[in-house]
Amino acid sequence: MSVALVWTPLTGGGSGIAAIPLPSVLGVELGTGPLLYALGLVLLLLALALVHRLLGSHVGRAWRAVRDDEVAARAAGLATPQYKSLAFGVGGFIAGIGGAYWSAQYGYIDPQIFSPNLSFQFVIIAVLGSMLSPFGAVVGAVIMVGGLEVLRAAAETRLIVYGVVLLLLIRFRPQGLWTRGGPPLRWARARRGAAPAPTDDAEETVA
């Protein structure tokens, strides 16, 4: 935040960056709401496909190993610093795409927009949906944004509600609402009489 405020030639300082042009695809400016939402949906699907593909590769398995037990992963010969740096790089790349889309949609951006309250919301979205699946972030975002609309009339109590929700999730549902395989798949298996799809933790325990 401090760097963004004082690096005026790049970020505009406290005044921010104004007059950001609307996004365009193949020379066509997306100046209407439906076109902008369609672009956002396409970017979301591409990001989900990228993350899903990475998690299914050896890189994703290495990330899960580092997440679950970094000491054991390092003892197994994994270059944990390199894999952690790669994870931060991929996360920053996806966040950059989202930030560029957000700023182009509103036409203005300044450092004050990204407050600690907004960061707290991102944490709740990750915990609420699931940190074990990229689709969990989508579920958490849908529920969180809907909750913000419900609490719009009581903005001063939002932070308290966020804290209560986070505590309840950590206590009763630490894995989040969406685990690997997703609820629809597990419910379909249960109706057919098959065993439910294993989660990440169960698969790694068996392995």
Side-chain angles (χ1 to χ4, degrees), residues 50-61 64 180:
L50 172 63
V51 175
H52 183 71
R53 184 68 183 89
L54 285 173
L55 292 179
S57 66
H58 73 282
V59 175
R61 290 190 290 272
R64 287 196 293 270
R180 186 171 181 178

Side-chain angles (χ1 to χ4, degrees), residues 21 44-45 48-49 54 60 82 89 137 142-143 159 171 180 182 201:
L44 173 62
L45 294 177
L48 287 175
L54 285 173
Q82 286 82 348
V142 170
I143 297 175
L159 195 59
R171 175 62 181 85
R180 186 171 181 178
D201 296 335

Side-chain angles (χ1 to χ4, degrees), residues 18 23-24 26 38 41-42 49 58 66 75 81 86 101 124 126 159 164 172 187:
S24 61
L26 300 177
L41 179 61
V42 170
H58 73 282
V66 174
L86 179 61
Y101 170 76
I124 295 179
L159 195 59
V164 172
F172 296 105
W187 293 338

Side-chain angles (χ1 to χ4, degrees), residues 143-166:
I143 297 175
M144 190 66 184
V145 171
L148 288 176
E149 293 301 321
V150 173
L151 296 174
R152 182 177 294 274
E156 66 279 359
T157 62
R158 284 183 182 180
L159 195 59
I160 298 176
V161 175
Y162 295 158
V164 172
V165 171
L166 187 58

Side-chain angles (χ1 to χ4, degrees), residues 1-201:
M1 179 69 75
S2 299
V3 174
L5 287 173
V6 300
W7 201 352
T8 305
L10 180 64
T11 65
S15 301
I17 302 175
I20 300 175
L22 290 169
S24 61
V25 178
L26 300 177
V28 179
E29 187 178 82
L30 308 180
T32 63
L35 291 177
L36 285 173
Y37 287 128
L39 176 61
L41 179 61
V42 170
L43 292 176
L44 173 62
L45 294 177
L46 290 176
L48 287 175
L50 172 63
V51 175
H52 183 71
R53 184 68 183 89
L54 285 173
L55 292 179
S57 66
H58 73 282
V59 175
R61 290 190 290 272
W63 282 342
R64 287 196 293 270
V66 174
R67 178 199 66 194
D68 293 339
D69 194 331
E70 183 176 350
V71 175
R74 185 176 300 175
L78 291 178
T80 55
Q82 286 82 348
Y83 279 109
K84 290 168 67 176
S85 298
L86 179 61
F88 280 115
V90 173
F93 170 73
I94 296 175
I97 293 177
Y101 170 76
W102 189 92
S103 60
Q105 183 181 13
Y106 287 92
Y108 173 78
I109 190 171
D110 74 272
Q112 302 298 332
I113 295 175
F114 304 100
S115 62
N117 192 21
L118 184 62
S119 301
F120 194 38
Q121 293 176 25
F122 292 155
V123 173
I124 295 179
I125 287 174
V127 176
L128 176 62
S130 176
M131 293 186 289
L132 303 177
S133 170
F135 300 100
V138 179
V139 174
V142 170
I143 297 175
M144 190 66 184
V145 171
L148 288 176
E149 293 301 321
V150 173
L151 296 174
R152 182 177 294 274
E156 66 279 359
T157 62
R158 284 183 182 180
L159 195 59
I160 298 176
V161 175
Y162 295 158
V164 172
V165 171
L166 187 58
L167 289 174
L168 291 176
L169 285 170
I170 294 174
R171 175 62 181 85
F172 296 105
R173 188 73 178 179
Q175 72 273 30
L177 298 178
W178 186 282
T179 54
R180 186 171 181 178
L185 178 59
R186 291 201 300 274
W187 293 338
R189 288 172 178 265
R191 291 185 64 180
R192 293 196 304 266
T199 61
D200 278 349
D201 296 335

